[in-house]
Amino acid sequence: MSKANYDLPDKVLHRVMKLSGAKTKKEALIIAMEEYLKNKKQELLLKSYGKYDLEWTQKSLRKHRG
């Protein structure tokens, strides 16, 4: 884990803490970063929607499930 020293806006940080239920500033930052990554991943998935031809059948699904 890396250490950093940043001057963060208290108003924003306290709002994240309140909305997320985080008890510490560190926890609030981790939650915020995880949410950001989750949202970006969803955004990228939405951008790729319809760009690939997928033809799943019941048989192929069973095969991939193991």
Side-chain angles (χ1 to χ4, degrees):
M1 184 178 293
S2 60
K3 293 193 176 220
N5 187 12
Y6 296 103
D7 187 21
L8 301 170
D10 285 330
K11 190 175 184 179
V12 175
L13 189 54
H14 288 292
R15 191 164 175 218
V16 171
M17 289 176 72
K18 183 178 181 182
L19 292 173
S20 68
K23 292 177 177 54
T24 64
K25 291 178 182 178
K26 178 182 176 180
E27 184 181 0
L29 288 171
I30 291 169
I31 290 170
M33 289 187 293
E34 287 173 345
E35 283 296 314
Y36 175 82
L37 292 172
K38 183 175 84 173
N39 289 337
K40 278 296 179 185
K41 183 178 179 182
Q42 288 176 346
E43 191 178 296
L44 292 171
L45 286 171
L46 284 172
K47 283 182 182 179
S48 68
Y49 179 76
K51 293 186 179 184
Y52 303 99
D53 291 330
L54 295 177
E55 295 182 20
W56 295 97
T57 64
Q58 289 291 331
K59 186 176 180 180
S60 66
L61 286 173
R62 277 191 222 103
K63 180 182 173 184
H64 289 288
R65 287 184 185 156

